[in-house]
Amino acid sequence: MDLDERARRWERRRDRLINVASPLGLVLAWEVAAQLGLIDTRFFPAPSSVAVALLASVHSGELANHVLMSLQRLFIGFVLGGVPALALGIVMGISRPVRAFIDPLIAATYPIPKSSIMPLILLVFGLGEGSKIIMVAIGVFYPVAINATAGVLQINCIYLDVGKSFNAGRWDTFRTIALPGALPFIMTGVKLGVGLGLVLIAVAEMVGAKSGIGYMIWSAWETFSVERMYVGLFAIAMIGFALTAALNEIERRIIPWKADS
Amino acid sequence: MSSGGPPVSAARDPAKIRIGHLTKRFGSQIALDDISIDIAEGSFFVIVGPSGCGKTTLLRILGGLDAMTQGTIEIRGAAAGRPQHSIVFQGDSIFPWMTVWDNAAYGLRMRKAPKAETDAIVEHYLDRTGLTRYAHFYPHQLSGGMRQRVSIARAFANDPEILLMDEPFSALDEQNRTILQQELLRIWEDDKKTVVFITHSVDEAVTLGDRIMVMSASPGRAKIVIDVPFERPRNVLELRQDPRYGDIVYRIWGYLKDEVERARS
C-alpha cells in the first residue's frame, strides 16, 4: 500500500467520523437547552427523556414491531417500483422510440406530489397493505427510471464505438457498456427513491394503518404522548441514516471505478 | 493532385488493404473524394492531413463504424475466427468500469476466446506495454499515457488482421508521446501487423511510417504517397538527427502548406 492510498483511506475514515459527529452535536445542544429551560419541553422534550421512552418501547417490543413493518413495506414497495423502473429506464435510454413514447407520460405525472395521490390510492387499493406498498413503489419508480435513462444517455459515444469495433452483440453491449456505464446514475436514482419511499411510507402509515412508524407517530399525536412521537421520529431518522449508509457502502462495492471522494 | 484513376502508387508487396475509388458524402458535402490506395501487408501506413480532411472518417469506414457512399475496400486474407481490425481511438476510450486486465481482454472475450488463451495473450501484451503491475487498477488510477497503453494493449491482444489507430497520442504531452511512439514501434516489430495510423503531426508520421499518405482538405483527397526510407528497427530519438529526416519533414510540410493556407482563406 503506497502513501497516496494510505492518505486516501485516512481521509475516508475522517469523513465518516465527521458524518457521525454532526448529529451527535445537535443532540447534545438540544439536551443542554432543555435542561437549562431554554426550550419548551412540552413540545421539545429533552433527548434523555426521549431516550427513556425509547428504552421502554424497545423493551416492550413495540418499536421493533413498527420498524419491521415499515421496513417490510419499504422493501416490497422498493422492489415493486424499482425493478420495472430500472428496466424501463434503461430501455428508454437505449431506444429513441420508446423514449419518445414514455417521456411525455413521465413528464406529465412526475410533478404531481406523490402524497397528494394518497386518497386516490386508498380508494383503489383500500386501507390495507396494498395501498402502503403502492405508495412506496410510486415514489421509488420516478427517480430510478429518470436516472437510469439519464445514465444511459450520458454514456460517451466512444464506448459504444469501442463495443461495435470489437463486435460486441446486443446483450454484450448492454452487459458490458450500457449497464456499468449507467450504474453511477442508477445508484443516485436508487438513493433518491429510497429517501422518497421513506417519506411516503411514513405518510401512508398515518392513514388507516395499525402498525408501522408512521402509525406510531400519528397515534402518539392523538394521545399527546410527545416522547413517544419523538421515539418514532428518531426511529425513522435512524432508518434513513442506516439505509443511506448501507446504500453508500453498496455503491462503493459495485462501483469501484468511481474516483474516491 | 490526384483524383480518380489508378491507385496513387502501386505497392511493392502484395496489398493487404485495397481501397478503390472510395467516396463519402455527408448530404451534399463531399468528405472523401475518390480515394484509391493499396496498403502493403505488414507495413506501417500513415495518413497525415490537416484537420477536417476526413482522415478520421476514412479510418472509421475502414473500421466498419461508418458506411462509405461509393467505392470498395478489400482486406486480403482474413482468416476465419480472426477479427479483421482493432481500433485504437483518439482520447480516452478504455472502459472506466473495467480494470486494466479486463479492458485488455475485452476483444478476446467478445469473440469468446478460450480462457487460457485469453489469459496468456493478455499477460503477454500487458507485459509488452509495461502494465503488468497495474493489471488490477482502474483507469482513473492511471495517467493519460498509461491509459493509452491500455488501449494499445487491448487492440494488439485482439490479434486483428489490421490495426487502425486514430491519432492515439494526440492528447499526450511531448515526452509521453515520444515514449509511446517508441513503445508502439517495439511492440509492432514483434509481428509486424499491417497498421493504418492517422495523425496530424508530420513528425509523428515520419517517425513511425513506412509510407505516408498526405491528404488535402475539403474535399478530402489523397494528395501524394511518400516512402519513408528509414530502416527498422528505429530509434525515435536518433532518427531525428538523420539528415534525411529533416528533408522528408520539409517535403511533407510543402504539401501541407498549400492546404493550411487554402483552409485559412
Side-chain angles (χ1 to χ4, degrees), chain A residues 159 161 166 172 176 180 256-257, chain B residues 60 94 96-97 106 112 138 140:
Chain A
Y159 299 131
D161 277 347
F166 283 104
D172 280 327
T176 63
W257 63 87
Chain B
R60 288 177 63 87
I94 57 169
W97 47 85
Y106 191 72
K112 317 272 183 292
Y138 283 94
H140 78 268

Side-chain angles (χ1 to χ4, degrees), chain A residues 2 5 8 155-156 158-169 172-173 175-178 180-182 256-260, chain B residues 60 63-66 83 85-87 89-98 106-107 109-112 138 140-141 154-155 158:
Chain A
D2 55 29
E5 175 73 13
R8 234 177 287 133
I155 294 174
N156 194 334
I158 200 168
Y159 299 131
L160 298 171
D161 277 347
V162 171
K164 208 171 156 194
S165 82
F166 283 104
N167 285 322
D172 280 327
T173 304
R175 190 177 57 87
T176 63
I177 300 170
W257 63 87
K258 229 178 135 185
D260 304 306
Chain B
R60 288 177 63 87
L65 294 176
D66 282 336
H85 43 68
S86 293
I87 305 176
F89 290 86
Q90 184 179 6
D92 267 339
S93 73
I94 57 169
F95 300 123
W97 47 85
M98 289 183 195
Y106 191 72
R109 284 188 183 151
M110 286 305 106
R111 58 189 172 92
K112 317 272 183 292
Y138 283 94
H140 78 268
Q141 298 167 295
R154 178 174 68 185
N158 196 32

Side-chain angles (χ1 to χ4, degrees), chain B residues 1-18:
Chain B
M1 184 179 165
S2 92
S3 81
V8 173
S9 96
R12 296 145 301 183
D13 305 307
K16 179 73 178 175
I17 307 168
R18 180 160 280 177

Side-chain angles (χ1 to χ4, degrees), chain B residues 14 47 64 85 94 96 152 164-165 169-170 234 247 249 257 260:
Chain B
I47 299 172
H85 43 68
I94 57 169
I152 289 168
L164 306 172
M165 303 198 183
F169 306 142
S170 61
R234 292 180 187 173
D247 287 347
V249 167
K257 207 181 63 190
V260 175

Side-chain angles (χ1 to χ4, degrees), chain A residues 17-35 38-39 44-48 50 230 233-234 237-238 241:
Chain A
L17 221 67
I18 295 175
N19 283 343
V20 178
S22 54
L24 277 180
L26 177 69
V27 169
L28 207 69
W30 181 356
E31 177 72 39
V32 171
Q35 296 291 350
L38 296 175
I39 49 176
F44 307 105
S48 54
V50 174
Y230 276 94
L233 291 174
F234 174 73
M238 286 320 292
F241 191 75

